[in-house]
Amino acid sequence: MTNGERSVTGDANGVETVSRDVQLINKYGLHARPATLIAQSAKTFKSEVVLIKGDEKVDAKSIFNLMTLAAEKGAKLTIRATGIDAKAAVDKIAALVEARFNEDD
Amino acid sequence: MAAKLLGFLDRDAIVTELNASTKEEAIRELVKVTVARGFVDAKHEDDLARGCLEREKKGTTGLGDGIAVPHVKESPHVKALCGAFGRSKQGVPFDAIDGKKVHLVFLILGAKGTAADHIAILKKLAGLRQNEHFLRFLKEAKDKDAIA
């Protein structure tokens, strides 16, 4: 899957699974501040949200879990959400990553 | 897939500041957390703490850089692979390989048939030990909310 491509599957109840691939482009990768921003953002959605790196999948609502990915600059991640607001959750977190978590450098 | 590798370390498994000032106290304090969470019956609490201490005698799990991973593998007294994480600002003497006190303690208790997952977790922690961001995050996080 290329960067930014999205896949969607859904059911009749409005529960859908949305995935999107992103690449970490901020200077220091997924350190404490970005992990905190992702977790805070993920928690505002009802959907289950996970971040996948290689063969590891972690709960995006847990800062600790996100930190265990030890994802550095350039790392390719998949954001996947399942629930009634899956698309919004994935879009929001992808936007954070793409905005370099609003870091200055 | 090593899904949720460290996922067992959720909010309830975190002790933001250990009271312990010795290796044994630290292990006992964290085993108590797994009892409180229902992974271990209270009657086996002492057995498991002793099991961890026996394991320490065979070789310290103080990996250096302030991290220790006391553990018991494949115990019949553990209902499911579980663990607890505790921090100590003052540091706990742990006979660590670099001689330094330990500030971050990851207790891992394995149930029967969980050896592979158990080893994967130990490996993951050994790798994370070299990750400066991860260590600093754990040491500096203010409270449970900032960790979990």
Side-chain angles (χ1 to χ4, degrees):
Chain A
M1 207 186 275
T2 56
N3 202 25
E5 193 175 322
R6 185 194 289 146
S7 66
V8 181
T9 56
D11 71 9
N13 300 319
V15 173
E16 55 178 12
T17 296
V18 179
S19 295
R20 187 153 146 197
D21 290 353
V22 292
Q23 189 166 15
L24 284 179
I25 49 174
N26 66 311
K27 195 170 177 185
Y28 297 110
L30 204 55
H31 59 93
R33 188 178 158 276
T36 305
L37 288 172
I38 289 177
Q40 282 172 347
S41 176
K43 280 182 196 168
T44 65
F45 296 95
K46 288 197 175 75
S47 296
E48 181 195 66
V49 189
V50 296
L51 237 62
I52 301 162
K53 180 188 152 207
D55 63 355
E56 284 186 65
K57 181 170 84 175
V58 301
D59 179 0
K61 297 181 183 183
S62 160
I63 305 166
F64 178 88
N65 278 255
L66 290 169
M67 290 295 293
T68 65
L69 285 180
E72 293 177 356
K73 184 181 181 181
K76 288 179 176 161
L77 304 171
T78 301
I79 306 162
R80 180 179 297 158
T82 302
I84 54 165
D85 51 9
K87 183 181 175 300
V90 169
D91 285 349
K92 182 77 190 291
I93 292 165
L96 279 173
V97 174
E98 281 154 9
R100 297 184 165 87
F101 306 100
N102 301 312
E103 285 174 5
D104 293 333
D105 52 3
Chain B
M1 178 183 280
K4 298 209 85 177
L5 199 53
L6 294 166
F8 63 90
L9 287 176
D10 68 23
R11 199 184 159 81
D12 299 336
I14 296 167
V15 179
T16 45
E17 187 59 43
L18 288 165
N19 292 316
S21 54
T22 67
K23 180 191 265 201
E24 176 165 357
E25 285 169 10
I27 287 171
R28 288 191 181 277
E29 201 172 336
L30 291 174
V31 170
K32 209 173 259 309
V33 172
T34 65
V35 173
R37 296 180 71 215
F39 286 103
V40 173
D41 283 335
K43 64 181 173 192
H44 298 307
E45 184 177 331
D46 189 54
D47 281 348
L48 285 160
R50 281 171 198 270
C52 288
L53 289 163
E54 282 302 313
R55 168 61 188 81
E56 292 295 323
K57 282 183 194 157
K58 288 186 205 155
T60 182
T61 66
L63 302 173
D65 300 318
I67 287 202
V69 291
H71 59 271
V72 168
K73 271 196 199 108
E74 298 260 333
S75 168
H77 302 318
V78 177
K79 292 168 193 168
L81 180 70
C82 63
F85 164 66
R87 298 193 303 181
S88 169
K89 254 198 199 79
Q90 55 171 18
V92 179
F94 222 91
D95 311 309
I97 51 174
D98 60 0
K100 292 182 188 161
K101 283 186 177 178
V102 161
H103 298 276
L104 305 171
V105 187
F106 294 89
L107 172 82
I108 303 155
L109 300 180
K112 281 279 180 203
T114 61
D117 284 346
H118 189 124
I119 289 163
I121 290 168
L122 289 175
K123 250 170 115 172
K124 178 78 192 172
L125 287 169
L128 285 169
R129 181 172 68 84
Q130 284 151 351
N131 186 303
E132 220 181 291
H133 288 311
F134 183 72
L135 295 186
R136 201 179 329 130
F137 154 70
L138 286 181
K139 283 179 187 159
E140 293 177 1
K142 276 194 209 77
D143 50 31
K144 273 189 200 186
D145 284 335
I147 300 173

